[in-house]
């Protein structure tokens, strides 16, 4: 990127970062009801009672994802080809949400309108060839068609896994794994001053993903150490290949947490469930992203860090809106917004907008 383009991108990120939520903002939002939220975020549909809560929730989710991806499109404009490829690769997770929706629809023979209604409208630089895939007769044909486009590596591995095992879980796990492996490949294309902050940022995200997958696959799904390791994507930061090999062979949830390297061992020392780990690892990634936004000089790293933080904020906003639409108690909403800690013993994953992990 030229010096002028770098300066422009850094200025854009600095301006956009002023809209990110801090603790005070989240506290104020938690006190707002639907009319106030609709006015604050220009979401008129929120208060339109002629639509069901489910319809409004789906429309708001689409609107928030559209907002995030429109900002992504603005940020990639001054980038060179390598930088743009990385940021677009990150954003293509939303295309993979559509792919999973199509796959589930084919597997369960859902009504075509129901499938279509659950697909996100995405910009051309990110979306799948939805119409062609939509007309595929079955999952294998769908994946073969996808192999001709930018998702060819994901589609090929997913098809091979599905042909071998015919298990929806294995198919979706393969899609997620190849997505994160693709991000790693994009980071490894950099050989300049951008590489270190990108390795730190994407590495922190992979630390989060690997630990959550490891805990779920080993102790919720009862997979063997070898099966679990096969699903992971070694991080460029803390949870590298050798460390993951050590962790997957530990036989209890507490032993895995005790064996983590600093600062994760201290950060997660009090965790009792996967949901506890999920929340604290989210904060770990957010802390790294905030550090890069505030102190970094790499335009592409700051842009990606901003998008990650913006996505987290929009997840929180969506959780708040869902809580209001469903008339949930303030205690439950505060847990969703991470204002208070959960007290339930459940060890599964939390809800919210669709996400890859």
């Amino acid at each position: 990127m030229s010096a002028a383009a770098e300066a422009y991108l850094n200025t854009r990120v600095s301006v956009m970062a002023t809209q990110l939520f801090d603790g005070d903002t989240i506290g104020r939002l938690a006190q707002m009801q639907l009319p106030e939220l609709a006015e604050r975020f220009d979401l008129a549909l929120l208060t339109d009672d002629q639509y069901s809560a489910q319809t409004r929730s789906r429309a708001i989710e689409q609107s928030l994802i559209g907002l995030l991806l429109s900002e992504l499109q603005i940020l990639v404009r001054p980038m060179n080809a390598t930088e743009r490829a990385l940021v677009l690769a990150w954003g293509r997770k939303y295309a993979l949400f559509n792919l999973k929706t199509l796959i589930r629809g084919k597997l369960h023979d859902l009504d075509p309108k129901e499938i279509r209604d659950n697909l996100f409208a995405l910009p051309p630089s990110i979306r799948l060839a939805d119409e062609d895939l939509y007309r595929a007769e079955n999952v294998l044909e769908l994946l073969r068609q996808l192999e001709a486009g930018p998702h060819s590596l994901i589609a090929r591995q997913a098809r091979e896994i599905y042909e071998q095992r015919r298990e929806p879980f294995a198919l979706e796990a393969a899609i997620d794994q190849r997505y994160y492996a693709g991000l790693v490949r994009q980071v490894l294309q950099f050989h300049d001053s951008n590489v270190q902050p990108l390795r730190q940022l994407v590495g922190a995200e992979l630390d989060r993903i690997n630990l959550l997958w490891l805990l779920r696959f080993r102790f919720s799904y009862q997979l063997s150490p070898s099966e679990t390791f096969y699903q992971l994507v070694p991080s460029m930061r803390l949870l590298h290949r050798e460390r993951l090999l050590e962790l997957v062979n530990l036989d209890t949830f507490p032993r895995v947490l005790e064996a983590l390297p600093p600062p994760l061992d201290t950060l997660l020392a009090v965790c009792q469930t996967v949901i506890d780990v999920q929340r604290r690892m989210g904060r770990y990634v957010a802390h790294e992203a905030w550090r890069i936004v505030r102190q970094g000089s790499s335009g592409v790293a700051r842009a990606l860090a901003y998008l990650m933080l913006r996505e987290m904020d929009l997840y929180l906003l969506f959780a708040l809106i869902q809580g209001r639409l469903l008339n949930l108690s303030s205690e439950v909403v505060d847990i969703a917004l991470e204002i208070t800690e959960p007290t339930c013993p459940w060890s599964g994953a939390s809800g919210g907008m669709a996400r890859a992990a």
Side-chain angles (χ1 to χ4, degrees):
M1 200 187 310
S2 69
E6 182 85 13
Y8 172 81
L9 179 58
N10 272 314
T11 300
R12 273 284 191 183
V13 172
S14 296
V15 171
M16 287 181 168
T18 61
Q19 64 189 334
L20 293 172
F21 298 166
D22 57 21
D24 292 339
T25 302
I26 295 171
R28 289 193 296 272
L29 292 177
Q31 304 303 314
M32 293 183 180
Q33 299 302 313
L34 287 181
E36 297 169 289
L37 291 168
E39 182 177 359
R40 168 75 183 270
F41 296 101
D42 193 24
L43 300 170
L45 185 64
L46 265 183
T47 55
D48 193 336
D49 292 336
Q50 68 176 313
Y51 297 102
S52 67
Q54 182 179 2
T55 298
R56 282 182 283 171
S57 176
R58 179 64 183 176
I60 296 304
E61 182 178 26
Q62 173 67 71
S63 178
L64 295 179
I65 289 174
L67 174 60
L68 176 69
L69 296 181
S70 69
E71 293 183 355
L72 181 151
Q73 296 295 314
I74 291 170
L75 289 172
V76 299
R77 287 173 189 166
M79 294 181 182
N80 64 34
T82 304
E83 295 162 344
R84 186 178 300 112
L86 169 63
V87 176
L88 289 176
W90 178 85
R92 287 197 180 101
K93 69 176 74 178
Y94 292 97
L96 298 184
F97 296 157
N98 278 355
L99 175 59
K100 291 178 183 179
T101 297
L102 287 165
I103 288 171
R104 291 166 189 160
K106 300 296 181 185
L107 287 174
H108 299 289
D109 196 25
L110 298 182
D111 179 77
K113 183 179 184 303
E114 182 179 356
I115 298 174
R116 190 182 295 274
D117 288 346
N118 282 281
L119 296 176
F120 294 116
L122 303 175
S125 58
I126 289 175
R127 70 182 176 222
L128 305 168
D130 291 339
E131 286 300 322
D132 291 340
L133 299 177
Y134 182 80
R135 289 191 289 268
E137 292 186 6
N138 53 50
V139 171
L140 287 176
E141 181 185 341
L142 185 156
L143 292 172
R144 288 194 185 98
Q145 290 183 14
L146 196 63
E147 287 183 48
H151 299 85
S152 58
L153 290 177
I154 292 175
R156 187 177 303 115
Q157 174 130 358
R159 177 178 57 78
E160 291 171 355
I161 291 292
Y162 188 66
E163 286 177 333
Q164 293 168 8
R165 300 174 60 179
R166 299 283 172 159
E167 295 177 1
F169 165 78
L171 175 56
E172 294 203 11
I175 290 171
D176 291 339
Q177 182 197 49
R178 298 316 303 170
Y179 165 77
Y180 284 102
L183 280 185
V184 171
R185 284 195 304 273
Q186 292 294 340
V187 171
L188 295 179
Q189 299 302 308
F190 289 83
H191 303 285
D192 53 19
S193 59
N194 293 309
V195 68
Q196 189 59 27
L198 287 173
R199 287 175 68 96
Q200 292 171 343
L201 180 64
V202 176
E205 174 67 357
L206 283 170
D207 288 342
R208 181 184 75 86
I209 290 297
N210 277 316
L211 184 56
L212 291 174
W213 285 358
L214 188 155
L215 294 172
R216 287 174 180 149
F217 294 156
R218 283 288 284 126
F219 306 118
S220 296
Y221 306 153
Q222 299 294 308
L223 298 187
S224 69
S226 59
E227 288 176 307
T228 299
F229 181 77
Y230 178 76
Q231 304 291 342
L232 305 179
V233 181
S235 170
M236 299 169 286
R237 194 161 183 176
L238 297 177
L239 301 188
H240 48 72
R241 183 179 185 277
E242 291 73 19
R243 185 161 281 139
L244 290 174
L245 278 170
E246 173 191 345
L247 293 173
V248 296
N249 282 289
L250 299 176
D251 56 4
T252 67
F253 186 103
R255 288 190 64 194
V256 171
L257 298 190
E258 290 167 3
L260 292 171
L264 300 185
D265 54 350
T266 302
L267 177 68
L268 305 177
V270 300
C271 292
Q272 301 294 319
T273 66
V274 173
I275 197 169
D276 293 337
V277 173
Q278 178 174 295
R279 289 162 70 92
R280 289 177 178 264
M281 288 301 291
R283 293 168 197 165
Y284 162 74
V285 175
H287 180 270
E288 183 60 30
W290 268 115
R291 184 188 66 78
I292 290 174
V293 167
R294 288 169 171 157
Q295 303 172 15
S297 58
S298 165
V300 63
R302 293 184 72 230
L304 183 56
Y306 164 77
L307 289 168
M308 292 168 68
L309 291 167
R310 183 67 160 152
E311 182 183 55
M312 293 176 197
D313 286 352
L314 296 178
Y315 287 156
L316 289 177
L317 177 58
F318 184 65
L320 172 59
I321 288 170
Q322 279 192 310
R324 294 288 181 258
L325 287 171
L326 297 173
N327 295 313
L328 300 181
S329 69
S330 59
E331 291 81 5
V332 172
V333 172
D334 284 351
I335 290 172
L337 298 181
E338 300 192 11
I339 295 173
T340 60
E341 295 291 333
T343 57
C344 61
W346 180 60
S347 60
S350 64
M353 290 199 301
R355 62 182 80 186

